[in-house]
Amino acid sequence: MSERMKIGFIGCGRAAQTVHLPWFAASDQCEITTLVDRRVELASELASTYGIGQVAGDHRVLCDDPDIDAVVMILREPLHAPVGIDLLRAGKHVFTEKPLSDRLPEARRLVDAATETGRLLMVGYMRRYDPGIEKARELLAEVRASGELGQVVQVRLHIHKGGGLPHDFGSSEPVTTAEEKPPVPTGPDDGLPAEVHQLSWSTNFFDTHLSDMLIHLLDPVREIVYADMETETRSRMFIYDHGSYKSVHTGSASVVGPRDESMVVYFERGRLTIRPSPNFRRDEHAQVELVRGGGPSPVIERPLVAGPWCFRAQAEHFLRCVRTGERPRCTGEDAMANAELLHAILGKLAGRGP
């Protein structure tokens, strides 16, 4: 592998322009040699901005380039498996945005392709790189090992997606062109009705970060006890069974008003609260509060955390893992837990759960 890794980049949408493309283009560890998007005019404009030498409208150009070591693909989820499998089979390491897919069989196909080819598949659950989340994980491990707060008795997760502020998405609006946005294909039949899949958008794009925090910080979900979602408002409630305790996960949305998101872990003698920062707000970290004890004089800790923005840390980690063979914090196999959880929720919404 050359000293400065050569990578391909697929996707020119908002998330690509806001967070991923700027970091990879600015890295001294890699060079983006080719930018791919079916909107070739848009890709050409961005390639000019970031000094990328080649533009293509088809990802197979990357498959055929022997000099490209790895590919970052920021696509809609039905495209993750078909594009990712082609890249892996061409010998490329792959970073993909979350979730693995909107269909469980496709998610498994993508993960299996990484196993079969021996290539790295890393999935973009970027909060695993947030210094605040890292601190929360450290504190949870400490108090659970010591037993000082007793057992976990309940977890509450909530997200209210309010109207986004401009600086939540970077300093400027994304570049656009008059080109028609390519249609997103429908995934293969997985046995669930189409109307149930239409309810999955909020869960796939927003709740999945909370469910990943739950899986990353605590214990596996054994069963979906309850699931309900309003068709019009997307107001939703899910209850998960972890064996010795349950998690209650609620969500809602509005086009205006504040965003509110939190995860609270209740112990017999205390609690840990995590308030994630808005996903795209630069250089902000999750806020953490640990309460030890109760009554009139609990001990309250609000640790200060420092470190790089989670998206930047995630990008640097991917490049390091490709170079060294280090295991990512979220492999394809890790991300399957989220894919399986989403499938179980949809099955419950369809009345087909246990």
Side-chain angles (χ1 to χ4, degrees):
M1 187 179 296
S2 60
E3 185 176 344
R4 194 162 182 241
M5 188 189 309
K6 296 185 184 302
I7 69 171
F9 194 103
I10 309 176
C12 292
R14 179 188 287 273
Q17 292 188 39
T18 301
V19 292
H20 298 289
L21 187 54
W23 284 122
F24 282 102
S27 173
D28 60 2
Q29 301 298 309
C30 71
E31 174 191 357
I32 302 176
T33 63
T34 306
L35 179 60
V36 175
D37 197 288
R38 290 167 67 182
R39 295 165 293 180
V40 178
E41 182 183 332
L42 175 59
S44 297
E45 186 168 344
L46 292 172
S48 178
T49 299
Y50 290 106
I52 300 169
Q54 180 174 329
V55 166
D58 192 313
H59 71 277
R60 283 168 288 197
V61 168
L62 306 180
C63 296
D64 296 336
D65 188 338
D67 292 329
I68 289 178
D69 302 307
V71 176
V72 176
M73 59 178 204
I74 313 301
L75 298 168
R76 293 295 300 273
E77 68 277 10
L79 295 170
H80 289 176
V83 175
I85 289 170
D86 283 349
L87 294 167
L88 291 164
R89 287 178 177 167
K92 313 303 180 186
H93 302 287
V94 173
F95 171 86
T96 180
E97 255 293 4
K98 58 77 189 168
L100 279 169
S101 177
D102 62 336
R103 307 294 169 108
L104 187 64
E106 288 291 272
R108 174 46 66 188
R109 280 206 321 127
L110 179 57
V111 173
D112 286 347
T115 301
E116 292 162 6
T117 60
R119 299 292 89 184
L120 170 66
L121 174 63
M122 178 169 150
V123 185
Y125 284 101
M126 79 293 178
R127 288 184 180 171
R128 296 190 180 209
Y129 302 88
D130 185 303
I133 304 300
E134 290 183 278
K135 181 54 137 180
R137 195 170 194 225
E138 176 187 315
L139 290 171
L140 281 169
E142 172 198 319
V143 298
R144 296 187 83 182
S146 69
E148 64 171 295
L149 303 186
Q151 299 296 312
V152 176
V153 295
Q154 187 190 59
V155 180
R156 293 180 61 186
L157 307 103
H158 176 70
I159 179 171
H160 174 77
K161 183 187 175 295
L165 299 173
H167 65 285
D168 288 348
F169 302 100
S171 59
S172 62
E173 286 296 304
V175 176
T176 58
T177 62
E179 296 165 286
E180 185 176 349
K181 195 171 184 178
V184 178
T186 301
D189 181 22
D190 60 356
L192 296 175
E195 57 270 23
V196 169
H197 273 292
Q198 290 171 5
L199 297 176
S200 72
W201 187 82
S202 293
T203 303
N204 242 342
F205 273 83
F206 302 108
D207 295 35
T208 190
H209 282 301
L210 274 178
S211 63
D212 185 68
M213 284 171 53
L214 180 69
I215 292 166
H216 182 56
L217 299 176
L218 289 169
D219 305 298
V221 174
R222 295 187 177 185
E223 180 187 353
I224 310 297
V225 177
Y226 177 83
D228 184 57
M229 184 184 295
E230 294 293 332
T231 303
E232 295 298 324
T233 66
R234 298 297 197 268
S235 177
R236 51 206 180 271
M237 174 182 285
F238 314 127
I239 301 177
Y240 311 136
D241 178 33
H242 299 266
S244 60
Y245 61 91
K246 290 180 172 59
S247 300
V248 179
H249 182 164
T250 58
S252 55
S254 69
V255 295
V256 296
R259 180 189 180 98
D260 181 42
E261 188 172 3
S262 63
M263 173 177 172
V264 186
V265 184
Y266 292 94
F267 293 86
E268 294 172 294
R269 297 182 292 278
R271 72 174 184 272
L272 180 105
T273 301
I274 306 168
R275 293 193 173 276
S277 64
N279 288 343
F280 290 161
R281 192 172 295 174
R282 292 177 180 272
D283 298 320
E284 292 190 20
H285 307 314
Q287 299 175 9
V288 180
E289 178 184 82
L290 178 64
V291 178
R292 301 177 191 261
S297 55
V299 176
I300 300 176
E301 301 174 21
R302 298 186 181 96
L304 296 176
V305 297
W309 190 35
C310 58
F311 279 106
R312 179 178 180 177
Q314 177 180 252
E316 292 173 347
H317 187 64
F318 173 65
L319 296 174
R320 185 169 69 249
C321 289
V322 172
R323 284 191 179 279
T324 67
E326 179 182 343
R327 188 185 191 277
R329 291 185 194 173
C330 192
T331 65
E333 285 290 355
D334 295 328
M336 276 302 299
N338 287 288
E340 289 165 351
L341 180 60
L342 173 64
H343 185 78
I345 289 171
L346 295 181
K348 199 77 171 178
L349 291 172
R352 300 181 185 180

